[in-house]
Amino acid sequence: SQKIEQNSEALNIQEGKTATLTCNYTNYSPAYLQWYRQDPGRGPVFLLLIRENEKEKRKERLKVTFDTTLKQSLFHITASQPADSATYLCALFYNQGGKLIFGQGTELSVKP
Amino acid sequence: NAGVTQTPKFRVLKTGQSMTLLCAQDMNHEYMYWYRQDPGMGLRLIHYSVGEGTTAKGEVPDGYNVSRLKKQNFLLGLESAAPSQTSVYFCASNLGLAGTDTQYFGPGTRLTVL
């Protein structure tokens, strides 16, 4: 079965730096890969979607890369702010299964 | 638009009791999902529906039942609650097939089974 690995340890960075979060998967590459943000006590909120034939996607200060050779997606937040502190989830979609599979999430803390 | 709403927000049950969690969406979405989230486990799919009157099993369906009698509502039932069902439950909906577009989540229901 597919496995998704996100950094289990929290990532602590200084305000203004670039935060980089990793999502690794096993076996087959997904058709789509998504990133969500989750704040404590709230439901996840969709951020970005990238397709398997896309290498990179950007949205404002966010950038996602998708490397099907390494079986890895990187999620970058540039010029990070304390308001970016949250847990970030990656999710994979396979056409065969027809459902999203979520990673366990990585907690990001941006210090002023 | 209220988006996806869930009722109740919190609930404490005793082992063996039953309850129903209600999810409602006002976006006319076809697809609806129930997940549970446990520490270190990520979101796991319980049941889902691809349209009114349809339901299907997800990754962890045992101990749960669902119904989708109306397009806007998706109910999750626990017939005989167990401590292992202590979790945070999230409902979500999509216009299209999950993964191909934005999945909208509700605020969650925190359930404790004693």
Side-chain angles (χ1 to χ4, degrees):
Chain A
S1 62
Q2 286 300 111
K3 286 190 178 179
I4 305 171
E5 288 289 335
Q6 293 188 253
N7 312 52
S8 55
E9 290 187 15
L11 179 64
N12 297 302
I13 65 168
Q14 207 66 31
E15 182 176 7
K17 301 291 185 184
T18 296
T20 299
L21 285 70
T22 305
C23 177
N24 294 303
Y25 59 91
T26 59
N27 300 332
Y28 310 107
S29 286
Y32 301 85
L33 191 149
Q34 298 185 355
W35 283 89
Y36 288 80
R37 169 185 173 139
Q38 186 174 23
D39 292 287
R42 294 181 167 248
V45 175
F46 172 82
L47 295 175
L48 280 169
L49 177 152
I50 188 166
R51 295 174 174 78
E52 66 175 328
N53 60 353
E54 297 176 318
K55 299 289 185 190
E56 182 179 298
K57 205 80 168 282
R58 292 175 185 261
K59 179 183 175 183
E60 298 173 351
R61 293 185 297 112
L62 309 180
K63 184 178 85 172
V64 172
T65 62
F66 192 4
D67 189 326
T68 55
T69 301
L70 293 178
K71 297 186 177 181
Q72 180 181 81
S73 175
L74 298 179
F75 178 79
H76 306 273
I77 305 175
T78 58
S80 60
Q81 305 165 359
D84 295 325
S85 299
T87 295
Y88 291 85
L89 310 171
C90 75
L92 279 54
F93 176 80
Y94 295 87
N95 286 326
Q96 297 90 335
K99 298 176 283 292
L100 274 176
I101 304 172
F102 283 85
Q104 76 271 34
T106 298
E107 185 180 348
L108 172 66
S109 178
V110 181
K111 304 296 184 188
Chain B
N1 280 359
V4 180
T5 58
Q6 292 182 234
T7 310
K9 287 186 169 48
F10 303 92
R11 186 74 185 267
V12 178
L13 290 179
K14 293 182 179 178
T15 297
Q17 287 185 317
S18 63
M19 78 163 294
T20 300
L21 281 67
L22 171 64
C23 175
Q25 52 92 6
D26 61 1
M27 297 174 282
N28 202 35
H29 286 173
E30 289 292 339
Y31 299 81
M32 296 187 74
Y33 306 83
W34 276 108
Y35 295 91
R36 61 177 289 173
Q37 188 174 40
D38 302 291
M41 299 286 288
L43 286 159
R44 291 183 293 168
L45 183 65
I46 305 171
H47 285 281
Y48 64 102
S49 168
V50 301
E52 181 178 315
T54 75
T55 63
K57 293 180 181 180
E59 182 187 357
V60 288
D62 294 341
Y64 305 94
N65 56 73
V66 286
S67 65
R68 183 105 180 263
L69 299 179
K70 292 183 178 180
K71 186 176 183 179
Q72 64 267 34
N73 296 338
F74 196 27
L75 279 62
L76 178 71
L78 286 73
E79 290 187 348
S80 179
S84 61
Q85 294 177 304
T86 293
S87 188
V88 181
Y89 292 85
F90 288 101
C91 177
S93 71
N94 277 67
L95 180 61
L97 189 60
T100 63
D101 70 358
T102 303
Q103 186 154 90
Y104 295 87
F105 283 84
T109 295
R110 185 174 294 275
L111 175 66
T112 302
V113 183
L114 301 175

